Amino acid sequence: MAGEEVSPLAQVNPIDKEAFKLGFIGAGNLASSVATGLVKQGIVPASRIFTAHRNPESRVNFTSMGIKVFPKNHQVAEECDVIIFAVKPQILKEVILDLRPLLSQNKLLLSLAVGHKLQALQEWVGHGRFVRVVPTTASIIGEAATVMHLGEAATENDGELIADLFGAVGKVWKMDEKLSDAAAAVGGAGTAFVYIAIEAMADGGVAGGLPREIALSLAAQAFYGAAAMVMKTGKHPGQLKDQVASPGGTTIAGIHELEKGAFRASMMNAVVATTKRSHEMGQ
């Protein structure tokens, strides 16, 4: 399949934004988060969303919202106009090749998998009406950080449709695909790094005598408030940090400990390692 010619853009059917059917190939946490966010925000009604899964526990995450769950992926591919591949990167190629006969250029295809680049996706399916989207599980609350890259045959209307969909469950950045690995590391995997930081801060609060529930709430709100300050004021994080850390005060004493523990370097190294691994998975 490698090196197979990708079909040039033929006359394709535009996607009807008011009536298209949305399908998820893969029914895990990320697919569930995106679907839940779209339904909650009223962007796509549950009656127009479909997926497939045999596991009863996974099915209920969708059926509880009124989403139709088929037993087989082929049924989703046949039924839907916009198809989102939300399977693990390790099996993505196998899944696309299995469904390829059903994936014409009249269907708009999306991949949520990290690593695999558009060139490979287009070769596997045989055409370029593909969009790479890298969202996060924060889609479920409308606060995802999503990066998108358009395939060579994706139309301007296709891009607008996908930007509207994912813009309803967070913020969307359209950028050159060569930046995708680093973007996924910061905006995607970065959420896990923040969860660890919140947990660590809460543990420190417990060590200082706070009840666990209060410590966790305070830590989470501190991160939420700090992120909002960066986003809303437009000020550099270093400037905002300096506004909190007064000379000889408590905050600068804590910052000193973070510096001794190489907090910045550890966070940078985590992003670099994640970027490297994402690139390796795409080879």
Side-chain angles (χ1 to χ4, degrees), residues 3-163:
E4 180 173 325
E5 183 178 355
V6 177
S7 299
L9 179 60
Q11 185 66 36
V12 298
N13 293 335
I15 303 298
D16 185 342
K17 295 183 178 181
E18 302 301 322
F20 72 90
K21 294 180 180 179
L22 177 64
F24 287 87
I25 303 298
N29 291 333
L30 187 54
S32 176
S33 298
V34 173
T36 300
L38 292 174
V39 172
K40 282 186 174 180
Q41 297 296 326
I43 304 304
V44 183
S47 61
R48 284 173 31 213
I49 301 178
F50 303 83
T51 190
H53 211 289
R54 294 180 179 178
N55 184 291
E57 186 175 335
S58 296
R59 289 171 65 95
V60 75
N61 292 334
F62 292 87
T63 56
S64 62
M65 294 185 288
I67 293 174
K68 172 75 173 180
V69 181
F70 291 117
K72 296 182 179 180
N73 287 333
H74 289 73
Q75 294 168 284
V76 178
E78 290 174 342
E79 182 73 23
C80 297
D81 310 295
V82 179
I83 300 172
I84 298 177
F85 289 91
V87 299
K88 294 184 182 302
Q90 295 87 339
I91 66 171
L92 179 60
K93 180 178 181 180
E94 175 187 349
V95 171
I96 291 178
L97 292 180
D98 181 53
L99 297 175
R100 175 171 170 155
L102 303 173
L103 304 176
S104 74
Q105 281 197 144
N106 285 324
K107 295 181 184 290
L108 174 58
L109 310 178
L110 287 79
S111 169
L112 305 188
V114 298
H116 296 300
K117 302 299 190 289
L118 281 167
Q119 181 179 356
L121 297 173
Q122 293 171 159
E123 287 181 355
W124 297 341
V125 79
H127 64 78
R129 201 178 187 187
F130 226 124
V131 180
R132 277 192 68 204
V133 180
V134 186
T136 66
T137 54
S139 299
I140 198 170
I141 60 169
E143 294 292 349
T146 300
V147 175
M148 63 180 288
H149 317 287
L150 298 183
E152 62 185 33
T155 67
E156 182 178 341
N157 286 338
D158 291 341
E160 291 176 357
L161 172 62
I162 301 309

Side-chain angles (χ1 to χ4, degrees), residues 208-226:
L210 288 174
R212 168 68 62 182
E213 183 177 353
I214 293 176
L216 186 57
S217 295
L218 285 171
Q221 183 61 39
F223 272 80
Y224 187 84

